């Protein structure tokens, strides 16, 4: 537990460029004082940058009083290191206060990834950082397209609120002038830096913006990570520069030139910026929150500075409402890509040759998701404790995926499945008497080495609310995406009708590979992948507040006895403690005798 603008800021000495050394333990964020969670007293936490094939060993020591945590390595497949995926009660027990847990994993798959807390709402309070796995140039299909791939050209964008995230969950029903944002962020941060433009807060505190320095005339690879937690999409624009997109979620795509990129929580995009403008100068980088964030015009700025140029741009800082430059946008809201100014993710093409996706899949998994709106008598009936979220309209809601609201088991599925009572799992038999929400552990079993199709369908149908689903353990191929007409009330029935008539279009020619995909509002995505990584892999909405209310399933791949590595020696165990009730006055005497 740490603070923004604490006394550590009094002992930091700036260097020649007025920037602070890495040893400085001052966290400035956007200049608004608040409590924060940090790793190594840094925001974001340490950047892990390795080469493909390296072994990563991370000791996580929990010094947070009264709190537990796990860390997930978002994007790493964890082949052979399933016990290090970092999902509480799926792959491990949470790390208790005062305990250390050693994560060990191979950097098998290259690309731009990141790590973050996977417990509660801790990610939004500062527990996240970048993770980059670089390839040798001979193996990188795009190595000839850029001159530099520098460690400090990682652009990690997060949303930020001016109080602990638990203050926003389940949410405030009574909106006041200070508390009208619900789960919406107050601002954004770029690599943990930013400025908050409201004089009601300490106007004398004006932290530095993040500065990315480039060499004039050279091509630079940037790695952009969307580490946001709220439901807002984010658009990034670099003043005067095109962005040549070459990878998404660590997987290479055929280059496309765009003017801005819209991304969702958990997505990553690599792009090339050519520093070709003359004379050398400094330019604004603008990150704009969209969707519900547009109401409060949430944005943040950084600076792209040519070496030798002035430190600050000569043009005024762009405002949120300023006219955006004309051009092409990647990943438009609500799948509006039927025009020459937009490119949807499904229209990207893999830079590698992809084969074998067109055969009949072993299984098609249909996952429609929606919210259940509780009535007050239903939610607050005596001895009922369903988890819920207070939505912006005041509704109290839980998430359902394929009719079930996910609830964690008492022990990890990966290491202690036999300790979990059968009634904990979702099934038509155990959940047949549920009238609304059935909190249960939703596990879908599939064999190893088969082709699986997953169809995720949005039944929420809220404008500009596109839920990003992230799959642990491997990538999938985006073979289809679309929207139902606005007049359609039952999107699942609409998609099933297309399927029955052979009109549900799939594209198998080198589709893009990803691990996080935003499902269009009132639409669907079709994903295919081969189940070549045994284990228990979470598939969940990456909006942070939607996970604790159940927008989760677990894909169980393979046979636990035949396919999984053995549980590591001394691996932590956890579970219920419910011994028989002893009848004597002093139960310890009975135990002694």
């Amino acid at each position: 537990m740490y603070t923004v603008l604490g006394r550590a800021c009094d002992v930091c000495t700036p260097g020649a460029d007025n920037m602070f050394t890495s040893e400085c333990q001052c966290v400035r964020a956007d200049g608004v004082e608040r409590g924060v969670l940090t790793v190594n007293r840094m925001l974001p936490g340490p950047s892990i940058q390795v080469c493909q094939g390296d072994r990563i060993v991370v000791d996580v020591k929990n010094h947070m009083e009264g709190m537990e945590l796990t860390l997930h390595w978002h994007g790493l497949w964890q082949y052979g290191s399933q016990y290090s995926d970092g999902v509480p009660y799926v792959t491990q027990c949470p790390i208790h206060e005062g305990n250390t847990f050693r994560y060990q994993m191979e950097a098998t798959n290259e690309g731009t990834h990141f790590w973050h807390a996977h417990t509660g709402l801790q990610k939004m309070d500062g527990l996240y950082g970048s993770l980059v796995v670089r390839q040798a140039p001979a193996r990188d299909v795009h190595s000839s397209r850029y001159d530099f791939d520098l460690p400090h050209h990682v652009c990690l964008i997060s949303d930020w609120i001016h109080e602990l995230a638990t203050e926003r969950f389940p949410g405030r029903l009574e909106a006041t002038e200070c508390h009208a944002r619900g789960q919406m962020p107050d601002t954004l941060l770029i690599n943990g830096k930013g400025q908050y433009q409201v004089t009601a807060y300490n106007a004398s505190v004006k932290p530095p913006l993040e500065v990315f320095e480039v060499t004039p005339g050279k091509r630079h690879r940037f790695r952009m990570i969307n580490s946001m937690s709220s439901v807002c999409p984010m658009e990034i624009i670099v003043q005067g520069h095109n962005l040549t997109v070459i990878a998404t979620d660590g997987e290479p795509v055929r280059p496309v030139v765009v003017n801005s990129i819209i991304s969702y929580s958990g997505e990553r995009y690599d792009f090339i910026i050519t520093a070709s403008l003359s004379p050398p100068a400094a330019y604004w980088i603008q990150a704009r929150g969209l969707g519900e964030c547009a109401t409060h015009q949430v944005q943040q700025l950084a600076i792209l500075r040519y070496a030798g140029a002035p430190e600050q741009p000569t043009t005024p800082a762009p405002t949120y409402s300023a006219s955006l430059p004309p051009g092409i946008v990647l990943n438009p809201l609500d799948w509006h890509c039927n025009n020459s100014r937009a490119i949807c993710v499904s229209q990207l093409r893999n830079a590698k040759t992809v084969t074998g996706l067109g055969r009949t899949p072993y299984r098609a998994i249909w996952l429609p998701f929606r919210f259940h709106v509780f009535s007050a008598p239903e939610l607050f009936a005596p001895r009922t404790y369903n988890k819920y979220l207070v939505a912006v309209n005041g509704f109290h809601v839980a998430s359902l995926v394929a009719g079930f609201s996910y609830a964690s088991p008492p022990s990890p599925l990966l290491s202690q499945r036999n300790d979990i009572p059968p009634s904990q799992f979702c099934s038509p038999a155990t959940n047949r008497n549920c009238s609304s929400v059935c909190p249960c552990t939703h596990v879908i079993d599939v064999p190893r080495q088969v082709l699986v199709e997953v169809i995720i369908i949005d039944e929420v149908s809220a404008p500009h609310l596109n839920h990003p689903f992230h799959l642990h353990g491997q990538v999938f191929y985006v073979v289809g995406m679309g929207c139902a007409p606005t007049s359609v009330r039952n999107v699942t029935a609409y998609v099933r009708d297309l399927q029955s008539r052979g009109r549900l279009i799939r594209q198998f020619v080198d589709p893009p590979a990803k691990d996080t995909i935003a499902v269009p509002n009132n639409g669907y995505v079709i994903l295919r992948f081969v189940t070549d990584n045994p284990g228990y892999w979470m598939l969940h909405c990456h909006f942070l507040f939607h996970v604790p209310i159940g927008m989760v399933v677990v894909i169980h791949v393979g046979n636990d006895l035949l396919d999984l590595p053995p549980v590591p020696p001394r691996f932590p165990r956890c579970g219920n403690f419910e011994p028989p009730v002893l009848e004597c006055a002093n139960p310890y005497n009975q135990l002694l005798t």
Side-chain angles (χ1 to χ4, degrees):
M1 293 176 168
Y2 208 53
T3 57
V4 172
L5 299 175
R7 290 300 300 270
C9 297
D10 297 340
V11 297
C12 292
T13 303
D17 57 356
N18 205 36
M19 300 299 290
F20 293 94
T21 64
S22 60
E23 288 78 17
C24 173
Q25 299 177 34
C26 173
V27 173
R28 285 179 170 78
D30 64 346
V32 177
E33 189 173 10
R34 56 152 288 183
V36 65
L37 303 177
T38 61
V39 174
N40 295 4
R41 293 180 177 171
M42 299 168 63
L43 180 72
S47 178
I48 300 173
Q49 305 203 21
V50 298
C51 294
Q52 188 177 22
D54 284 352
R55 185 160 188 78
I56 303 172
V57 181
V58 181
D59 285 355
V60 177
K61 302 182 179 183
N62 184 2
H63 293 291
M64 300 185 298
E65 288 78 5
M67 302 176 73
E68 60 185 24
L69 86 154
T70 64
L71 292 186
H72 168 57
W73 315 93
H74 185 117
L76 284 189
W77 297 340
Q78 302 292 1
Y79 281 127
S81 53
Q82 288 88 339
Y83 299 95
S84 286
D85 193 45
V87 182
Y89 303 107
V90 175
T91 63
Q92 68 173 100
C93 301
I95 309 166
H96 293 157
E97 175 192 347
N99 288 0
T100 299
F101 187 94
R102 176 167 292 168
Y103 292 96
Q104 300 188 71
M105 49 220 157
E106 301 288 339
T108 306
N109 55 304
E110 76 285 356
T112 303
H113 314 302
F114 69 120
W115 56 265
H116 59 80
H118 218 296
T119 31
L121 309 176
Q122 295 167 336
K123 171 176 174 278
M124 198 169 196
D125 288 326
L127 297 189
Y128 59 85
S130 58
L131 170 59
V132 176
V133 180
R134 287 185 170 81
Q135 280 187 313
R139 301 188 62 183
D140 182 356
V141 297
H142 292 310
S143 61
S144 63
R145 298 182 182 275
Y146 56 87
D147 302 301
F148 295 112
D149 181 10
L150 302 175
H152 59 275
H153 284 169
V154 175
C155 180
L156 195 159
I157 302 176
S158 55
D159 41 14
W160 195 242
I161 60 177
H162 293 149
E163 57 191 342
L164 290 172
T166 50
E167 292 292 324
R168 306 284 181 97
F169 186 86
R172 298 183 178 98
L173 185 61
E174 298 297 330
T176 65
E177 182 179 355
C178 296
H179 296 149
R181 291 179 182 262
Q183 283 82 31
M184 292 303 101
D186 295 297
T187 187
L188 308 179
L189 298 178
I190 300 177
N191 287 348
K193 299 177 182 178
Q195 296 175 358
Y196 189 58
Q197 309 294 334
V198 175
T199 56
Y201 289 93
N202 190 348
S204 64
V205 178
K206 195 172 183 180
L209 299 175
E210 180 71 331
V211 178
F212 299 94
E213 187 168 293
V214 293
T215 302
K218 298 298 183 181
R219 304 164 300 172
H220 302 78
R221 179 174 186 160
F222 279 73
R223 299 172 179 268
M224 191 272 290
I225 302 166
N226 187 321
S227 183
M228 293 174 66
S229 300
S230 63
V231 302
C232 298
M234 184 274 299
E235 183 174 24
I236 187 170
I237 305 152
V238 181
Q239 180 187 18
H241 293 76
N242 293 331
L243 312 176
T244 303
V245 178
I246 60 172
T248 175
D249 298 354
E251 295 295 311
V253 296
R254 297 174 192 170
V256 294
V257 179
V258 299
N259 299 92
S260 69
I261 299 170
I262 295 177
S263 63
Y264 295 81
S265 173
E267 288 192 298
R268 293 91 66 207
Y269 287 95
D270 293 22
F271 52 84
I272 297 169
I273 293 179
T274 301
S276 58
L277 300 187
S278 182
Y283 300 89
W284 293 108
I285 299 174
Q286 183 182 18
R288 304 169 69 246
L290 305 178
E292 293 186 18
C293 280
T295 304
H296 298 282
Q297 299 191 345
V298 174
Q299 75 162 14
Q300 195 52 260
L301 302 175
I303 296 172
L304 180 76
R305 177 178 174 268
Y306 285 36
E311 293 185 1
Q312 294 286 328
T314 57
T315 57
T319 63
Y320 187 95
S321 56
S323 298
L324 297 178
I328 299 174
V329 59
L330 175 66
N331 207 11
L333 297 180
D334 297 340
W335 203 67
H336 292 315
C337 49
N338 295 322
N339 61 78
S340 61
R341 297 187 58 188
I343 300 174
C344 279
V345 167
S346 58
Q347 295 174 323
L348 296 173
R349 289 294 166 263
N350 206 305
K352 303 175 182 177
T353 301
V354 180
T355 60
L357 294 179
R359 67 184 190 273
T360 301
Y362 170 84
R363 180 177 179 183
I365 301 171
W366 290 72
L367 297 177
F369 65 89
R370 62 181 176 89
F371 290 126
H372 172 78
V373 180
F374 290 104
S375 66
E378 175 191 15
L379 182 58
F380 301 111
R383 294 176 296 279
T384 59
Y385 301 99
N386 284 311
K387 294 181 181 180
Y388 65 92
L389 177 73
V390 179
V392 291
N393 52 14
F395 291 156
H396 290 47
V397 301
S399 296
L400 300 176
V401 180
F404 300 116
S405 185
Y406 186 86
S408 292
S411 304
L413 294 164
L414 186 63
S415 57
Q416 293 179 245
R417 178 158 183 171
N418 291 337
D419 294 344
I420 303 171
S423 60
Q424 176 70 35
F425 296 95
C426 303
S427 72
T430 58
N431 303 115
R432 63 179 180 272
N433 294 322
C434 290
S435 59
S436 59
V437 175
C438 291
C440 54
T441 303
H442 189 181
V443 178
I444 299 174
D445 299 307
V446 292
R448 190 179 181 186
Q449 298 294 356
V450 298
L451 179 67
V452 169
E453 179 173 273
V454 178
I455 304 175
I456 308 176
I457 303 172
D458 173 36
E459 293 185 338
V460 178
S461 300
H464 302 326
L465 182 57
N466 302 352
H467 297 253
F469 274 76
H470 169 57
L471 175 63
H472 294 218
Q474 66 180 76
V475 298
F476 46 71
Y477 295 95
V478 183
V479 299
M481 181 180 289
C483 283
T486 55
S487 59
V488 170
R489 297 301 179 188
N490 189 325
V491 185
T492 299
Y494 171 82
V495 177
R496 285 192 178 275
D497 178 65
L498 291 179
Q499 172 80 343
S500 65
R501 293 187 289 130
R503 298 182 62 182
L504 193 59
I505 298 174
R506 297 166 175 84
Q507 202 288 120
F508 300 126
V509 180
D510 298 336
K514 287 177 63 66
D515 58 45
T516 307
I517 185 68
V519 182
N521 158 53
N522 209 48
Y524 61 91
V525 295
I526 307 174
L527 317 174
R528 288 195 175 189
F529 59 93
V530 175
T531 57
D532 55 4
N533 191 12
Y536 290 84
W537 305 117
M538 212 176 197
L539 174 63
H540 63 100
C541 178
H542 215 263
F543 291 149
L544 190 62
F545 293 99
H546 291 182
V547 173
I549 60 170
M551 201 170 284
V552 178
V553 298
V554 172
I555 307 295
H556 174 216
V557 176
N559 182 290
D560 291 354
L561 295 177
L562 301 178
D563 298 325
L564 284 175
V567 179
R570 299 177 58 193
F571 195 72
R573 295 177 59 86
C574 52
N576 293 325
F577 177 66
E578 297 178 303
V581 176
L582 303 177
E583 297 181 357
C584 63
N586 187 338
Y588 297 103
N589 288 341
Q590 179 172 328
L591 292 174
L592 291 173
T593 57

